[in-house]
């Protein structure tokens, strides 16, 4: 749990703050203002092809710039947004903003796929397929340049979720299962859900060299995904050793601080001048930590 934010530093709430100024109720009140006053922003984390070093996409991750509290991590407010239903307008904003930004990149010749995290509530409380369709129409983004990330906790109404996902896939949008391996009934969902990609949860990747069980789990997820013709992405790659292990076991793609933290668009553009063609600057023999 981080301390009060300085410049660009995250703010995670301590339990003391939850009892005082920042309790779930005031956070909800402030979230309503934040939607009106547009206090949210998106950072983008690169997703790298582990065999070529190519940047193939970015994941959009929300941040809240509160005028008094500073930059707030999604872990601190997404659960409250979900409980209060505010995740629906917030999620719609994220979708629109990510598509708008990616259209700008596409037009300037640096297009890549943008991934957007969706909450189960967005499936339950909106006609998600038509929301997405309208957003693509309004922003002019090519559906192939959008991916949605769902989690295994989408248990509410499986029949409806599957129908929605099928509609979404028909639009040409890619679907991935985020935090794979941490939810219930992984294999059940895998069989039911029409998805393209599995994202191996960071908790497994971070333990790769401490725990042989995690090695086995990661190897198993990769080979299962490959056998099912699914794309597989490792989240949270922080060390060269983790990268080497994942490459050795033929994991297709990866994200993590080793490559880059999530960045505001302007910084991302500086670091990856030609997003699509940035392969060489990411030559996998290079020292990422320099
Ligand atoms: P996620 O979708 O699994 O996103 C990956 C999280 O891992 C991000 O945290 C990212 O900054 C962090 N991460 C990436 N690489 C590394 C690494 O190498 N080491 C470490 N320690 N962390 C790494 P972030 O941005 O704080 O987001 C946390 C979670 O909040 C996300 O997990 C996602 O579930 C949720 N979230 C973020 N943005 C949105 C959004 O727009 N809508 C919804 N519904 N949820 C969101
Ligand atoms: Mg995600
Ligand atoms: Mg997620
Ligand atoms: Mg994840």
């Amino acid at each position: 749990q981080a301390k009060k934010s300085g410049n660009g530093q995250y703010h995670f709430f301590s339990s003391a703050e939850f009892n005082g100024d920042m309790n779930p109720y005031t956070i909800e009140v402030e979230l309503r203002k934040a939607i009106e006053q547009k206090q949210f922003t998106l950072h983008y984390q690169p997703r790298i092809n582990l065999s070529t070093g190519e940047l193939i996409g970015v994941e959009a991750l929300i941040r809240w710039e509160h005028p008094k509290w500073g930059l707030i991590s999604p872990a601190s407010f997404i659960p409250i947004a979900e409980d209060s239903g505010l995740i629906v307008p917030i999620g719609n904003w994220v979708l629109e903003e990510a598509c708008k930004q990616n259209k700008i990149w596409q037009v300037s010749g640096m297009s890549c796929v943008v991934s957007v995290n969706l909450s189960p509530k967005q499936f339950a409380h909106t006609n998600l397929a038509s929301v997405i369709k309208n957003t693509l129409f309004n922003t002019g983004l090519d559906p192939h340049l959008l991916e949605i990330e769902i989690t295994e906790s989408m248990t509410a109404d499986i029949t409806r979720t599957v129908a929605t996902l099928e509609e979404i896939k028909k639009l040409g949008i890619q679907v991935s299962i985020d935090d794979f391996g941490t939810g219930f009934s992984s294999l059940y969902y895998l069989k039911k859900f029409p998805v393209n990609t599995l994202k191996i949860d960071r908790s497994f990747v971070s333990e790769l060299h401490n725990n042989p069980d995690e090695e086995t789990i990661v190897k198993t997820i990769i080979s299962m995904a490959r056998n099912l013709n699914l794309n597989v992405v490792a989240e949270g790659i922080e060390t060269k050793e983790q990268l080497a292990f994942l490459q050795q076991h033929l994991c297709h793609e990866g994200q993590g601080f080793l490559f880059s933290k999530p960045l505001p668009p302007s910084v991302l553009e500086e670091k990856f001048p030609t997003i699509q063609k940035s392969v060489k600057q990411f030559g996998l023999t290079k020292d990422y930590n320099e």
Side-chain angles (χ1 to χ4, degrees), residues 226-239:
R226 295 186 69 98
N227 287 330
L228 293 169
N229 281 317
L230 296 172
N231 191 33
V232 58
V233 183
E235 300 189 293
I237 305 173
E238 293 186 353
T239 69

Side-chain angles (χ1 to χ4, degrees), residues 174-192:
Q174 301 177 56
V175 179
S176 69
I177 301 186
D178 203 358
D179 311 329
F180 187 77
T182 60
F184 297 112
S185 328
S186 304
L187 296 172
Y188 178 75
Y189 281 94
L190 206 51
K191 201 166 166 289
K192 283 260 178 196

Side-chain angles (χ1 to χ4, degrees), residues 59 61 116-118 149-151 177-179 199 235:
E59 177 174 1
L61 294 155
V116 172
N117 291 283
L118 292 184
E149 297 190 2
I150 62 174
T151 61
I177 301 186
D178 203 358
D179 311 329
K199 298 186 78 171
E235 300 189 293

Side-chain angles (χ1 to χ4, degrees), residues 57-118:
V58 290
E59 177 174 1
L61 294 155
I62 195 169
R63 276 85 185 91
W64 180 9
E65 289 172 329
H66 188 276
K68 191 166 137 226
W69 295 336
L71 195 64
I72 302 168
S73 141
S76 298
F77 69 88
I78 290 286
I80 296 166
E82 284 181 335
D83 290 345
S84 59
L86 292 172
I87 193 66
V88 171
I90 294 172
N92 289 345
W93 177 84
V94 171
L95 194 59
E96 178 100 19
E97 179 63 22
C99 290
K100 233 189 251 171
Q101 179 60 66
N102 204 22
K103 179 67 185 181
I104 293 171
W105 282 329
Q106 187 193 355
V107 166
S108 52
M110 3 183 249
S111 60
C112 59
V113 174
V114 69
S115 308
V116 172
N117 291 283
L118 292 184

Side-chain angles (χ1 to χ4, degrees), residues 135-165:
T135 307
L136 289 170
F137 181 79
N138 293 338
T139 59
L141 184 70
D142 178 343
H144 297 100
L145 298 179
L146 175 64
E147 178 183 80
I148 58 165
E149 297 190 2
I150 62 174
T151 61
E152 296 167 87
S153 57
M154 307 270 231
T155 44
D157 184 344
I158 293 168
T159 319
R160 191 175 155 182
T161 303
V162 170
T164 303
L165 287 177

